[in-house]
Amino acid sequence: MKKINFVRFALLAALCFVLPFSGTAQQRKAGLTGAAFLKVGVGAKAVGLGSAATALSNDVNQMFWNPAGIALKDDKLQASFSYNKWFADLNHNAAAVAYNWEEVGTFGVGFVQFGITGIAADRDIPLDPSLKPFQIEENSSSTYDYSDVAIQLSYARYVIDNLSLGATVKYVSQTIDGKAVTAFAVDFGSLYHIGVLDWTIAARFNNLGSDMKYYDIAFGLPLSFSIGTALSPYSDENGKLMVAVDAVKPQDGPQYFFTGAEYTLMNMISVRGGWKLNYAGTDDGGTTSRAAIKNTIEGFSAGAGFSTSVAGYNVRLDYAYTQMEILDAAHRITVSVGLK
């Protein structure tokens, strides 16, 4: 009875937080935050599910979503590498390792890199020597680089049999043409396994941290709060269907709903699909002085996965496709290895 009461309390508290922010007045906040690369999903499995990842568990890649989900039960060690061919030739790479220390918890370290090199530079160099002291731009090369980096440490453990809690501390850096700014942030997460139908509910805070400042302009990190659930309404000896739903409230946007489904055949081959409600193709409503601006160009997501055991290692290969309006589609590949 206490466990059921805990679940009801957690859901009620989360709904009380999320629902007041779903009004249209919250839609006109684009541009309030920086470090936008932290919004780009890591891991082909989660992205293939439409980013409905809050309630996923036993996965090292959860340190980039809900740190409570890295608490390992089946593996002693998990490692993962993800490559994302983002639009405009931007590269998005991530790596993560988690180790399950019995009776203590699961520790993880992760790395995300996002950027591009060799961008043509159109520099405003004053010809008049008297204006030289007022020049802000310091570099003179014909090209410049742009790079975002996040390094994070995560910890999670089961405080009771069905409840795991987790936290992540991250260092965030953005560098443009040699000018770097940094910030620190934390993520918090919880995940509760109800038991029946593999039903899981979860909640997470992401990117609660310090501001970043370029010259005289300061901006915060993309703070967000999410609640989610996942369950398997159908399963037999041949396969299992899993569905997941997230309610996400970012600081700089309206209420989003991420949905996804996965069918796994013979515990080896998986196919996935997902859609973001109130997200893909929506606009900010506009103002009296300008037309509406779309929040995103991202559309549906789909993917597949293959897992097997090789020489005592659990190996998994995942792929995800994300449709983009106007721009090229995004393709993600993730390779994960687990050791029992």
Side-chain angles (χ1 to χ4, degrees), residues 180-193:
V181 294
T182 60
F184 291 91
V186 294
D187 299 341
F188 298 103
S190 61
L191 194 148
Y192 186 80
H193 298 273

PDB file of all heavy atoms in Angstrom, residues 180-193:
ATOM      1  N   ALA A 180      35.801  31.251 -25.705  1.00  0.00           N
ATOM      2  CA  ALA A 180      35.139  30.170 -24.976  1.00  0.00           C
ATOM      3  C   ALA A 180      34.385  30.699 -23.762  1.00  0.00           C
ATOM      4  O   ALA A 180      34.843  31.629 -23.081  1.00  0.00           O
ATOM      5  CB  ALA A 180      36.155  29.127 -24.530  1.00  0.00           C
ATOM      6  N   VAL A 181      33.237  30.099 -23.510  1.00  0.00           N
ATOM      7  CA  VAL A 181      32.470  30.364 -22.295  1.00  0.00           C
ATOM      8  C   VAL A 181      32.110  29.019 -21.684  1.00  0.00           C
ATOM      9  O   VAL A 181      31.980  28.011 -22.385  1.00  0.00           O
ATOM     10  CB  VAL A 181      31.200  31.192 -22.576  1.00  0.00           C
ATOM     11  CG1 VAL A 181      31.566  32.583 -23.052  1.00  0.00           C
ATOM     12  CG2 VAL A 181      30.314  30.497 -23.598  1.00  0.00           C
ATOM     13  N   THR A 182      31.960  28.986 -20.377  1.00  0.00           N
ATOM     14  CA  THR A 182      31.705  27.726 -19.678  1.00  0.00           C
ATOM     15  C   THR A 182      30.577  27.884 -18.668  1.00  0.00           C
ATOM     16  O   THR A 182      30.206  28.994 -18.273  1.00  0.00           O
ATOM     17  CB  THR A 182      32.961  27.225 -18.944  1.00  0.00           C
ATOM     18  OG1 THR A 182      33.360  28.211 -17.975  1.00  0.00           O
ATOM     19  CG2 THR A 182      34.106  26.999 -19.929  1.00  0.00           C
ATOM     20  N   ALA A 183      30.060  26.758 -18.240  1.00  0.00           N
ATOM     21  CA  ALA A 183      29.018  26.725 -17.216  1.00  0.00           C
ATOM     22  C   ALA A 183      29.025  25.348 -16.571  1.00  0.00           C
ATOM     23  O   ALA A 183      29.582  24.387 -17.107  1.00  0.00           O
ATOM     24  CB  ALA A 183      27.651  27.035 -17.810  1.00  0.00           C
ATOM     25  N   PHE A 184      28.387  25.252 -15.411  1.00  0.00           N
ATOM     26  CA  PHE A 184      28.196  23.985 -14.710  1.00  0.00           C
ATOM     27  C   PHE A 184      26.698  23.764 -14.518  1.00  0.00           C
ATOM     28  O   PHE A 184      25.936  24.714 -14.322  1.00  0.00           O
ATOM     29  CB  PHE A 184      28.909  23.981 -13.356  1.00  0.00           C
ATOM     30  CG  PHE A 184      30.405  23.966 -13.462  1.00  0.00           C
ATOM     31  CD1 PHE A 184      31.117  25.155 -13.501  1.00  0.00           C
ATOM     32  CD2 PHE A 184      31.095  22.761 -13.537  1.00  0.00           C
ATOM     33  CE1 PHE A 184      32.499  25.147 -13.606  1.00  0.00           C
ATOM     34  CE2 PHE A 184      32.476  22.739 -13.646  1.00  0.00           C
ATOM     35  CZ  PHE A 184      33.178  23.939 -13.681  1.00  0.00           C
ATOM     36  N   ALA A 185      26.291  22.506 -14.587  1.00  0.00           N
ATOM     37  CA  ALA A 185      24.874  22.199 -14.456  1.00  0.00           C
ATOM     38  C   ALA A 185      24.697  20.840 -13.794  1.00  0.00           C
ATOM     39  O   ALA A 185      25.639  20.039 -13.708  1.00  0.00           O
ATOM     40  CB  ALA A 185      24.190  22.206 -15.822  1.00  0.00           C
ATOM     41  N   VAL A 186      23.483  20.579 -13.332  1.00  0.00           N
ATOM     42  CA  VAL A 186      23.145  19.296 -12.724  1.00  0.00           C
ATOM     43  C   VAL A 186      21.828  18.793 -13.313  1.00  0.00           C
ATOM     44  O   VAL A 186      20.966  19.580 -13.733  1.00  0.00           O
ATOM     45  CB  VAL A 186      23.031  19.389 -11.185  1.00  0.00           C
ATOM     46  CG1 VAL A 186      24.375  19.696 -10.560  1.00  0.00           C
ATOM     47  CG2 VAL A 186      21.998  20.448 -10.787  1.00  0.00           C
ATOM     48  N   ASP A 187      21.705  17.481 -13.370  1.00  0.00           N
ATOM     49  CA  ASP A 187      20.449  16.801 -13.712  1.00  0.00           C
ATOM     50  C   ASP A 187      20.043  15.937 -12.529  1.00  0.00           C
ATOM     51  O   ASP A 187      20.903  15.377 -11.842  1.00  0.00           O
ATOM     52  CB  ASP A 187      20.612  15.891 -14.935  1.00  0.00           C
ATOM     53  CG  ASP A 187      21.026  16.638 -16.188  1.00  0.00           C
ATOM     54  OD1 ASP A 187      20.853  17.871 -16.242  1.00  0.00           O
ATOM     55  OD2 ASP A 187      21.529  15.983 -17.119  1.00  0.00           O
ATOM     56  N   PHE A 188      18.743  15.810 -12.308  1.00  0.00           N
ATOM     57  CA  PHE A 188      18.218  14.923 -11.278  1.00  0.00           C
ATOM     58  C   PHE A 188      17.130  14.048 -11.897  1.00  0.00           C
ATOM     59  O   PHE A 188      16.367  14.515 -12.749  1.00  0.00           O
ATOM     60  CB  PHE A 188      17.633  15.704 -10.100  1.00  0.00           C
ATOM     61  CG  PHE A 188      18.623  16.566  -9.380  1.00  0.00           C
ATOM     62  CD1 PHE A 188      18.647  17.938  -9.581  1.00  0.00           C
ATOM     63  CD2 PHE A 188      19.541  16.009  -8.500  1.00  0.00           C
ATOM     64  CE1 PHE A 188      19.557  18.737  -8.921  1.00  0.00           C
ATOM     65  CE2 PHE A 188      20.458  16.800  -7.836  1.00  0.00           C
ATOM     66  CZ  PHE A 188      20.469  18.169  -8.043  1.00  0.00           C
ATOM     67  N   GLY A 189      17.068  12.782 -11.455  1.00  0.00           N
ATOM     68  CA  GLY A 189      16.055  11.911 -11.997  1.00  0.00           C
ATOM     69  C   GLY A 189      15.594  10.849 -11.017  1.00  0.00           C
ATOM     70  O   GLY A 189      16.319  10.490 -10.072  1.00  0.00           O
ATOM     71  N   SER A 190      14.391  10.349 -11.245  1.00  0.00           N
ATOM     72  CA  SER A 190      13.842   9.247 -10.454  1.00  0.00           C
ATOM     73  C   SER A 190      13.103   8.308 -11.398  1.00  0.00           C
ATOM     74  O   SER A 190      12.584   8.732 -12.434  1.00  0.00           O
ATOM     75  CB  SER A 190      12.889   9.760  -9.372  1.00  0.00           C
ATOM     76  OG  SER A 190      11.790  10.442  -9.965  1.00  0.00           O
ATOM     77  N   LEU A 191      13.064   7.044 -11.020  1.00  0.00           N
ATOM     78  CA  LEU A 191      12.433   6.027 -11.864  1.00  0.00           C
ATOM     79  C   LEU A 191      11.854   4.935 -10.979  1.00  0.00           C
ATOM     80  O   LEU A 191      12.561   4.383 -10.125  1.00  0.00           O
ATOM     81  CB  LEU A 191      13.464   5.460 -12.834  1.00  0.00           C
ATOM     82  CG  LEU A 191      12.979   4.625 -14.013  1.00  0.00           C
ATOM     83  CD1 LEU A 191      13.916   4.825 -15.207  1.00  0.00           C
ATOM     84  CD2 LEU A 191      12.938   3.152 -13.658  1.00  0.00           C
ATOM     85  N   TYR A 192      10.564   4.643 -11.179  1.00  0.00           N
ATOM     86  CA  TYR A 192       9.867   3.674 -10.326  1.00  0.00           C
ATOM     87  C   TYR A 192       9.253   2.575 -11.188  1.00  0.00           C
ATOM     88  O   TYR A 192       8.478   2.850 -12.117  1.00  0.00           O
ATOM     89  CB  TYR A 192       8.776   4.365  -9.513  1.00  0.00           C
ATOM     90  CG  TYR A 192       8.108   3.451  -8.498  1.00  0.00           C
ATOM     91  CD1 TYR A 192       8.721   3.189  -7.279  1.00  0.00           C
ATOM     92  CD2 TYR A 192       6.882   2.863  -8.773  1.00  0.00           C
ATOM     93  CE1 TYR A 192       8.108   2.358  -6.343  1.00  0.00           C
ATOM     94  CE2 TYR A 192       6.272   2.037  -7.856  1.00  0.00           C
ATOM     95  CZ  TYR A 192       6.893   1.777  -6.637  1.00  0.00           C
ATOM     96  OH  TYR A 192       6.287   0.943  -5.726  1.00  0.00           O
ATOM     97  N   HIS A 193       9.603   1.327 -10.901  1.00  0.00           N
ATOM     98  CA  HIS A 193       9.061   0.162 -11.596  1.00  0.00           C
ATOM     99  C   HIS A 193       7.824  -0.330 -10.839  1.00  0.00           C
ATOM    100  O   HIS A 193       7.935  -0.846  -9.718  1.00  0.00           O
ATOM    101  CB  HIS A 193      10.089  -0.961 -11.670  1.00  0.00           C
ATOM    102  CG  HIS A 193      11.326  -0.599 -12.434  1.00  0.00           C
ATOM    103  ND1 HIS A 193      11.441  -0.746 -13.793  1.00  0.00           N
ATOM    104  CD2 HIS A 193      12.507  -0.085 -12.003  1.00  0.00           C
ATOM    105  CE1 HIS A 193      12.643  -0.335 -14.178  1.00  0.00           C
ATOM    106  NE2 HIS A 193      13.304   0.066 -13.113  1.00  0.00           N
TER     107      HIS A 193
END
